[in-house]
């Protein structure tokens, strides 16, 4: 069933967020691409390597708890630049770190501060575009992930060059400098006055907490693919780890296409229908990728998986904002906690299962998480 079409205007502040998320994506997918190579370099197990994902989760949870206070105290604009600055500090630490404590710290710091920039900007987009909030959040993430495609390809090239894979960790630093120089003065207006009035100790509804659990499952699926899909691709096809990292490029192409397409669909159809459809697409892509040993088919499976996975986070976050009772900054902070738990536990559990049963069997975790997310969505769909 379609609904009356909704439109929104992409103004200069909107494009600032889009480009900021492009910089964010080079951090996220740079660290994701680096993990298999980093694991081999450090000589650690998959479970220990998965602790890097746990570190990313811890950072996201801690900053998520502080996010509402940070935006109240310093405003959204300052919070975003604090987040971007801290993200780059973490990337530099990974780039220069040669031992496990340094790389774990770098992943944790980069993720924690990056989460500030991400979730503050999503709350601002929701305010700025009103009824088109879901579409603007999805499209922002689509534009952002476009930068992740060349970033993963650049990682693969650098990993095989004399510069080495660590050179790729400085790509976000360079892009941040360009962003600050070209659009550093742009930002949305701060939170509307009615949001300040809406801040209350009144508990969130049960549907809000259900939406958080759904977001946890969705983020866990995305991060298990981000951090371990290249490893499984290598094992199943015989590609080297550096070559298999190009599989993430195929997945990112799918994510970008899914987010652009999903943004258009949310302007025409109920969000819950689009959300459920993306879960089905994710499952179909997983089945193709998981069952094949052919390189070309693996790329197809990753691309289809990405088309579905790409919409999981934007729609999950939108759902939490919509059920927050007019408290987008608080909802975004809590969403960061839920997402942090998902991004940490998903890769760690998959890594532990991989050590015990092999990565191929461990990847059955993905459809299990999608099933839980679908159940949570359907149980509260009446409020979409």
């Amino acid at each position: 069933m379609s609904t009356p079409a909704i439109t929104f205007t992409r103004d200069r502040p909107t494009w600032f967020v889009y480009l900021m998320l492009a910089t964010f994506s080079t951090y996220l997918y740079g660290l994701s691409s680096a993990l298999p190579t980093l694991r081999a370099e450090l000589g650690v197990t998959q479970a220990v390597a998965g602790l890097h994902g746990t570190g990313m989760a811890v950072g996201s949870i801690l900053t998520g708890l502080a996010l509402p206070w940070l935006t109240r105290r310093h405003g959204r604009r300052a919070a975003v630049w604090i987040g971007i600055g801290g993200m780059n500090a973490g990337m530099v630490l990974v780039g220069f770190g040669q031992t496990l404590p340094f790389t774990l710290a770098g992943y944790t710091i980069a993720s924690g501060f990056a989460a500030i920039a991400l979730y503050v900007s999503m709350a601002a987009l929701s305010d700025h575009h009103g009824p088109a909030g879901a579409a603007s959040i999805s499209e922002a993430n689509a534009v952002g992930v476009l930068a992740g495609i060349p970033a993963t390809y650049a990682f693969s090239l650098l990993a095989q060059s004399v510069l080495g894979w660590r050179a790729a960790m400085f790509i976000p630093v360079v892009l941040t400098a360009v962003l600050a120089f070209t659009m550093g003065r742009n930002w949305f207006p701060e939170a509307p006055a009615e949001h300040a009035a809406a801040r209350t100790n009144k508990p969130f509804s049960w549907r809000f907490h259900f939406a958080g659990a759904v977001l946890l499952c969705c983020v866990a699926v995305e991060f298990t693919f981000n951090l371990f899909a290249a490893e499984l691709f290598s094992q199943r096809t015989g590609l080297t780890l550096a070559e298999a990292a190009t599989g993430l490029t195929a997945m990112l192409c799918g994510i970008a296409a899914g987010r652009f397409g999903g943004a258009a669909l949310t302007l025409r159809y109920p969000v819950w229908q689009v959300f459920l459809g993306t879960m089905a697409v994710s499952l179909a892509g997983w089945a193709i990728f998981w069952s094949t040993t052919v390189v070309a088919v693996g790329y197809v499976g990753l691309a289809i998986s990405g088309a579905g996975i790409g919409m999981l986070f934007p729609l999950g976050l939108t759902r939490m904002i919509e059920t927050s009772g007019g408290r987008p900054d608080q909802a975004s902070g809590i969403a960061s906690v839920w997402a942090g738990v998902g991004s940490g536990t998903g890769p760690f559990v998959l890594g532990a299962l991989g050590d015990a049963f092999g990565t191929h069997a461990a990847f059955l975790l993905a459809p299990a998480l999608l099933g839980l997310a679908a159940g949570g969505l359907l149980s509260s769909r009446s409020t979409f």
Side-chain angles (χ1 to χ4, degrees):
M1 180 182 66
S2 63
T3 58
I6 302 169
T7 59
F8 70 98
T9 302
R10 302 165 186 84
D11 54 13
R12 190 171 175 83
T14 304
W15 280 106
F16 168 77
V17 173
Y18 285 11
L19 295 176
M20 188 276 292
L21 286 182
T23 303
F24 171 92
S25 290
T26 63
Y27 127 79
L28 178 60
Y29 295 109
L31 292 186
S32 298
S33 298
L35 189 59
T37 305
L38 181 61
R39 183 178 80 83
E41 183 180 293
L42 296 176
V44 297
T45 66
Q46 289 188 52
V48 172
L51 288 175
H52 288 85
T54 303
M56 295 174 77
V58 170
S60 179
I61 290 169
L62 292 177
T63 56
L65 293 172
L67 194 151
W69 171 85
L70 184 63
T71 54
R72 288 198 303 270
R73 180 71 179 271
H74 299 288
R76 285 174 172 170
R77 184 175 185 274
V80 164
W81 284 107
I82 289 170
I84 295 175
M87 176 188 78
N88 283 301
M91 295 300 289
V92 169
L93 187 56
V94 174
F96 285 115
Q98 299 292 325
T99 61
L100 184 63
F102 282 101
T103 58
L104 283 174
Y107 270 69
T108 302
I109 292 170
S111 178
F113 280 92
I116 294 174
L118 173 65
Y119 288 98
V120 171
S121 64
M122 295 299 96
L125 273 183
S126 180
D127 279 345
H128 194 58
H129 292 291
S136 64
I137 289 174
S138 178
E139 190 172 89
N141 281 274
V143 172
V145 82
L146 287 176
I149 297 171
T152 56
Y153 186 68
F155 174 87
S156 183
L157 291 178
L158 289 169
Q160 300 174 71
S161 73
V162 295
L163 294 176
W165 66 269
R166 294 178 184 274
M169 300 298 99
F170 297 94
I171 293 175
V173 180
V174 175
L175 293 180
T176 296
V178 173
L179 180 66
F181 179 76
T182 58
M183 300 192 75
R185 294 182 179 273
N186 288 276
W187 187 237
F188 291 131
E190 296 298 332
E194 58 265 25
H195 287 176
R199 282 196 292 269
T200 175
N201 291 326
K202 181 181 177 181
F204 288 102
S205 69
W206 69 269
R207 289 188 173 88
F208 176 82
H209 296 296
F210 258 61
V214 170
L215 181 65
L216 183 154
C217 293
C218 291
V219 171
V221 170
E222 182 172 354
F223 269 74
T224 56
F225 269 86
N226 286 343
L227 297 178
F228 286 101
E231 180 118 7
L232 179 59
F233 198 30
S234 173
Q235 292 177 9
R236 296 284 288 174
T237 62
L239 295 174
T240 67
L241 287 174
E243 291 169 342
T246 61
L248 290 177
T249 304
M251 189 177 77
L252 290 179
C253 289
I255 288 175
R259 285 177 175 170
F260 278 120
L265 289 173
T266 59
L267 297 174
R268 298 287 304 182
Y269 297 95
V271 173
W272 76 268
Q273 293 181 2
V274 180
F275 205 173
L276 194 62
T278 62
M279 293 178 190
V281 173
S282 301
L283 182 61
W286 167 86
I288 295 171
F289 172 64
W290 185 79
S291 62
T292 189
T293 58
V294 179
V295 173
V297 178
Y299 280 123
V300 172
L302 285 170
I304 295 174
S305 297
I309 289 171
M311 284 299 294
L312 297 181
F313 171 75
L315 292 180
L317 178 59
T318 297
R319 174 60 173 159
M320 290 198 69
I321 292 175
E322 288 178 348
T323 58
S324 68
R327 292 172 278 179
D329 288 305
Q330 287 177 273
S332 293
I334 297 172
S336 180
V337 175
W338 280 103
V341 174
S343 66
T345 57
F348 180 74
V349 170
L350 191 144
L353 291 173
D355 288 334
F357 305 105
T359 306
H360 185 242
F363 244 80
L364 290 168
L365 178 66
L369 289 168
L370 287 170
L372 290 172
L377 172 65
L378 290 172
S379 69
S380 58
R381 68 187 184 278
S382 62
T383 60
F384 277 91

